[in-house]
Amino acid sequence: MWDSIVQAFNSAVTQLEANVYWLTLSYLFLSEFGAPLPIPGNFVLVASGYLLGRQNEIPILLMALAILALVPGATTMFWIGRRGGLPLLNRIGPKIGLSQRRRDRIVGWLERRAVLGLIMIRVLPTFRLGTTIIPGALGMPWPRYALGMGCGLVAWVITYMGLGYAIGLLS
């Protein structure tokens, strides 16, 4: 019985390795639009890097493609936040602990540390969707958001896929 489980697992890993590019890009594209997917994007990046490391394949192409797959979702969600996010924040904000006072503090923090703040929030395992909708809803200027989110996406992909790649090389 144990042998059949190991064979099934190895077969699944082989299928994942053969399709790592399409699976990763599809998953990240959908998740950035806020699709309720069961696995966090951080884990998908680590797993993709791991599989490429096992194959001894440099992940630079997948990293670049992953960043390109994330940009449409991050951009769209920012504009959704800009167009309709403030009424939503006004309605549900107090229910989730986001009072007007806290929102004012977040706006001030984003004004002072916009680029660095977006990079930090993106890289740390947190509520990533908030890094796209909340800046739009709170009125962050588009150029500042684009710079911060672009740098944040690059740092996020390189950090997590690089970690998985290093683990894959060691296995």
Side-chain angles (χ1 to χ4, degrees), residues 1-12:
M1 166 131 169
W2 183 251
D3 288 337
S4 63
I5 292 172
V6 170
Q7 283 180 327
F9 178 78
N10 287 334
S11 174

Side-chain angles (χ1 to χ4, degrees), residues 17-168:
E17 285 176 338
N19 297 298
V20 68
Y21 280 81
W22 293 112
L23 291 171
T24 302
L25 297 176
S26 300
Y27 200 93
L28 292 176
F29 181 80
L30 291 172
S31 72
E32 196 64 23
F33 277 101
L37 300 172
I39 301 170
N42 299 354
F43 180 78
V44 171
L45 288 172
V46 171
S48 300
Y50 173 79
L51 293 172
L52 291 176
R54 277 178 42 124
Q55 297 172 355
N56 213 10
E57 183 179 335
I58 307 260
I60 292 173
L61 177 60
L62 184 55
M63 286 178 176
L65 292 172
I67 292 163
L68 291 176
L70 292 163
V71 168
T75 302
T76 301
M77 297 308 281
F78 172 83
W79 288 110
I80 287 172
R82 176 64 59 88
R83 301 272 188 253
L86 194 54
L88 180 64
L89 282 178
N90 288 336
R91 192 174 66 224
I92 67 166
K95 295 176 186 172
I96 61 171
L98 192 58
S99 64
Q100 183 63 44
R101 183 170 168 256
R102 274 198 173 150
R103 282 196 345 224
D104 292 342
R105 285 184 22 210
I106 291 170
V107 168
W109 189 80
L110 285 174
E111 286 174 355
R112 290 187 308 275
R113 298 177 186 87
V115 174
L116 181 60
L118 287 173
I119 293 169
M120 286 173 26
I121 292 168
R122 174 59 85 160
V123 172
L124 296 174
T126 59
F127 183 62
R128 265 192 15 255
L129 192 57
T131 65
T132 55
I133 291 177
I134 291 175
L138 296 179
M140 178 182 263
W142 166 251
R144 184 177 288 176
Y145 171 80
L147 178 62
M149 189 50 55
C151 294
L153 290 174
V154 169
W156 183 61
V157 168
I158 289 173
T159 299
Y160 286 97
M161 196 176 292
L163 175 64
Y165 181 73
I167 295 168

